[in-house]
Amino acid sequence: MTKLWGGRFQKSAESWVDEFGASIGFDQQLVMEDIEGSVAHVTMLGAQEILSTEDVEKILGGLAELKTKAEAGELEFSVANEDIHLNLEKMLTDLIGPVGGKLHTGRSRNDQVATDMHLFLKKRVVEVVNLINVFQKTILEKAEQHVETIAPGYTHLQRAQPISFAHHLMAYFWMLQRDKERFSESMKRIDILPLGAGAMAGTTFPIDRLKSAELLGFSKVYENSMDAVSDRDFIVEFLSNSSLLMTHLSRFAEEIIIWSTDEFKFIELDDAFSTGSSIMPQKKNPDMAELIRGKTGRVYGNLMGLLTVLKGTPLTYNKDMQEDKEGMFDTVHTILGSLKIFEGMVRTMKVNEERLHQAVHSDFSNATELADYLATKGMPFREAHEVTGKLVFTCIQRGIYLLDLPLEDMKAESDLLEEDVYDVLRPEAAVRRRHSLGGTGFDQVRLQIEKAKQLI
Ligand code: ARG
């Protein structure tokens, strides 16, 4: 079988060498983008009278046929034709004859492949942003149901202060909001067209790059043809934004996992998002959350992979860059899947209010309230901290909590403590009274939810 670039060659490579160099196994995922790019390119060639109207029509007809076949999954790709670009060009000439060979006028696979990648990511980033938005809505809805559900808040995974459970959920809303912003902002750099850069130096044909950009819906073209064919920053940026997104999802996943344990029992995951054990009949495992936590690894790996591929490559295109694809496809697939699963998991999970109530009433997470109470009455906070610590210690020794401690025992440590301290110590009061901006007080959480609604 002769290669489309075979003219200069005396000898053909052995098939296993071809196989090693081929990208068709994975870049066939770019089939639609490659056809789209070719349609725009040939249309531009026609408009510039570089190709005759007749040739352009033939080529467009052939491309349309290939597109229909691609949609029906009827294209048969071959490793001998190396990649998606050469496969499609070969199919086109088989279909319409040698005129198909005119499609590549004024173009190189170098600007072609970069164009495909830009087109591909442009579409996928829109999907990612939409899915983040859907997930945020679900978090918001859950949060709205639990503004007055009090839960223990943690630092060091030790009970710290009581919080509104909605406040905890909303923390993830804001992380996702930043992710959404990062993906949206990155669009500015994905939305630049490399087509027309040729192999790397531009072309002698009187092409119109702005016309191609307009046809393909790009706002800009690369200003430098060498940069155009060697830039993969936009992919690195996508992988980096995805990594941070996965960091957030994996932190949330970890909490879901902890909350579903018998030790915590703060939530129960829906059966649809859990699995059983093949040996232990009592088990209900949070597999999906664990898997998302685990998949974070491959997304980080894809980022490190591409950074390493690009490091030290000289300008301009190098075959190394073929290695940009699998990690990108894998990341797109992984984050879209993770977002979808996570949304369903949160939408269907049951929050165990009773258990949360119990938890928050059987700890010392209201100790700060006592210290604040004393400080409000004029005692220096440091001293108030000390007095409270002593009272906590007394309680621990007696096996009771602060709310159970009689006033006379309190007074033994400080005269400033009065009957009204018990109101302040109630977890509900502890939450309600934290109405500093962005705090967990119910009114602040409601305000936060209102602000959040404007963003989705
Ligand atoms: N399959 C190649 C890639 O994905 C396409 C570009 C090939 N260009 C070249 N000059 N060999 O990077």
Side-chain angles (χ1 to χ4, degrees):
M1 186 167 197
T2 50
K3 299 275 191 237
L4 289 174
W5 39 256
R8 185 221 175 281
F9 288 76
Q10 301 293 306
K11 194 162 111 181
S12 47
E14 297 199 37
S15 65
W16 58 273
V17 177
D18 277 352
E19 211 160 297
F20 187 77
S23 52
I24 188 62
F26 45 88
D27 67 12
Q28 51 184 274
Q29 292 179 64
L30 296 171
V31 63
M32 289 305 172
E33 288 74 20
D34 202 70
I35 294 174
E36 226 177 294
S38 289
V39 167
H41 181 64
V42 76
T43 307
M44 180 279 291
L45 291 177
Q48 294 300 101
E49 296 176 359
I50 298 168
L51 294 188
S52 71
T53 313
E54 200 192 331
D55 287 350
V56 170
E57 268 163 21
K58 275 190 201 143
I59 295 172
L60 285 176
L63 288 172
E65 207 166 311
L66 290 181
K67 187 176 174 205
T68 312
K69 282 194 180 168
E71 279 161 354
E74 280 167 9
L75 296 181
E76 275 179 35
F77 301 109
S78 103
V79 169
N81 286 320
E82 202 179 319
D83 58 23
I84 185 64
H85 326 294
L86 298 179
N87 265 270
L88 284 172
E89 190 178 324
K90 177 75 169 56
M91 289 173 190
L92 184 69
T93 38
D94 286 350
L95 206 61
I96 64 172
V99 63
K102 294 192 178 184
L103 167 62
H104 214 50
T105 311
R107 184 176 77 170
S108 154
R109 272 189 293 158
N110 297 350
D111 57 344
Q112 186 178 359
V113 70
T115 299
D116 291 3
M117 300 290 273
H118 277 270
L119 281 169
F120 181 87
L121 263 194
K122 255 182 100 169
K123 296 181 207 163
R124 298 296 107 77
V125 166
V126 171
E127 281 177 52
V128 172
V129 167
N130 286 341
L131 275 186
I132 294 179
N133 214 53
V134 170
F135 187 23
Q136 282 180 300
K137 262 189 213 159
T138 299
I139 292 177
L140 251 179
E141 274 162 29
K142 264 276 155 337
E144 273 191 301
Q145 294 160 17
H146 292 288
V147 173
E148 303 214 5
T149 304
I150 316 266
Y154 295 81
T155 64
H156 311 268
L157 201 54
Q158 303 284 330
R159 299 269 178 94
Q161 290 165 335
I163 48 153
S164 147
F165 191 61
H167 197 51
H168 195 132
L169 293 175
M170 285 303 289
Y172 287 101
F173 175 97
W174 297 106
M175 285 180 232
L176 290 165
Q177 180 61 23
R178 291 192 295 275
D179 288 322
K180 194 167 75 179
E181 283 169 14
R182 260 186 294 270
F183 279 110
S184 303
E185 283 158 13
S186 75
M187 198 56 124
K188 195 166 104 193
R189 286 167 293 276
I190 304 174
D191 188 24
I192 309 177
L193 180 67
L195 196 63
M200 58 114 181
T203 173
T204 53
F205 290 98
I207 59 167
D208 181 352
R209 295 187 64 205
L210 299 178
K211 172 87 186 160
S212 306
E214 188 195 314
L215 290 169
L216 287 169
F218 280 89
S219 338
K220 279 207 227 164
V221 298
Y222 275 86
E223 298 297 343
N224 180 308
S225 60
M226 295 177 79
D227 184 35
V229 293
S230 64
D231 176 31
R232 296 293 183 273
D233 297 358
F234 66 104
I235 305 177
V236 172
E237 210 178 327
F238 171 75
L239 298 177
S240 160
N241 293 341
S242 302
S243 295
L244 207 39
L245 167 67
M246 289 306 287
T247 305
H248 298 150
L249 295 189
S250 91
R251 293 183 77 178
F252 201 176
E254 172 66 7
E255 301 214 274
I256 299 267
I257 293 161
I258 294 177
W259 291 345
S260 339
T261 57
D262 269 342
E263 287 75 5
F264 275 75
K265 271 202 179 114
F266 287 177
I267 59 162
E268 191 184 337
L269 288 179
D270 194 76
D271 285 1
F273 294 93
S274 320
T275 52
S277 155
S278 56
I279 170 169
M280 298 161 283
Q282 84 284 10
K283 291 201 70 178
K284 187 166 165 185
N285 298 327
D287 278 31
M288 295 304 130
E290 292 168 62
L291 203 48
I292 289 168
R293 188 178 58 181
K295 280 180 188 293
T296 305
R298 67 199 296 155
V299 174
Y300 291 180
N302 292 336
L303 170 64
M304 289 319 294
L306 184 59
L307 283 170
T308 314
V309 164
L310 295 175
K311 175 187 174 297
T313 48
L315 291 184
T316 50
Y317 177 84
N318 301 274
K319 184 75 165 177
D320 311 45
M321 287 169 181
Q322 184 165 289
E323 288 293 309
D324 63 356
K325 291 180 192 58
E326 284 161 290
M328 183 192 73
F329 293 141
D330 182 69
T331 296
V332 166
H333 182 77
T334 305
I335 65 172
L336 289 177
S338 300
L339 282 167
K340 255 185 235 163
I341 293 277
F342 223 129
E343 188 277 325
M345 200 159 63
V346 170
R347 181 165 33 78
T348 56
M349 78 184 189
K350 265 204 236 79
V351 178
N352 190 345
E353 292 175 27
E354 203 178 307
R355 172 74 193 120
L356 285 169
H357 181 88
Q358 220 175 42
V360 101
H361 284 86
S362 50
D363 66 16
F364 290 98
S365 62
N366 53 355
T368 313
E369 310 320 306
L370 192 66
D372 283 353
Y373 174 96
L374 291 169
T376 310
K377 293 202 166 181
M379 186 184 280
F381 186 79
R382 222 13 88 210
E383 209 176 301
H385 186 286
E386 173 79 16
V387 167
T388 309
K390 283 189 180 144
L391 290 173
V392 167
F393 186 70
T394 308
C395 287
I396 292 172
Q397 282 185 317
R398 295 196 209 163
I400 57 173
Y401 296 104
L402 286 169
L403 272 169
D404 311 320
L405 194 65
L407 190 59
E408 58 198 75
D409 294 302
M410 296 233 192
K411 281 197 171 296
E413 288 299 337
S414 167
D415 255 353
L416 294 173
L417 291 160
E418 306 282 354
E419 192 62 42
D420 62 350
V421 72
Y422 295 101
D423 292 333
V424 166
L425 281 174
R426 281 177 29 252
E428 292 76 12
V431 177
R432 190 181 304 282
R433 295 174 68 238
R434 285 212 155 59
H435 43 58
S436 55
L437 182 63
T440 193
F442 304 130
D443 291 342
Q444 280 300 322
V445 174
R446 284 196 189 93
L447 187 68
Q448 184 188 152
I449 288 176
E450 284 318 306
K451 285 185 186 165
K453 278 185 184 166
Q454 311 298 311
L455 299 170
I456 55 167

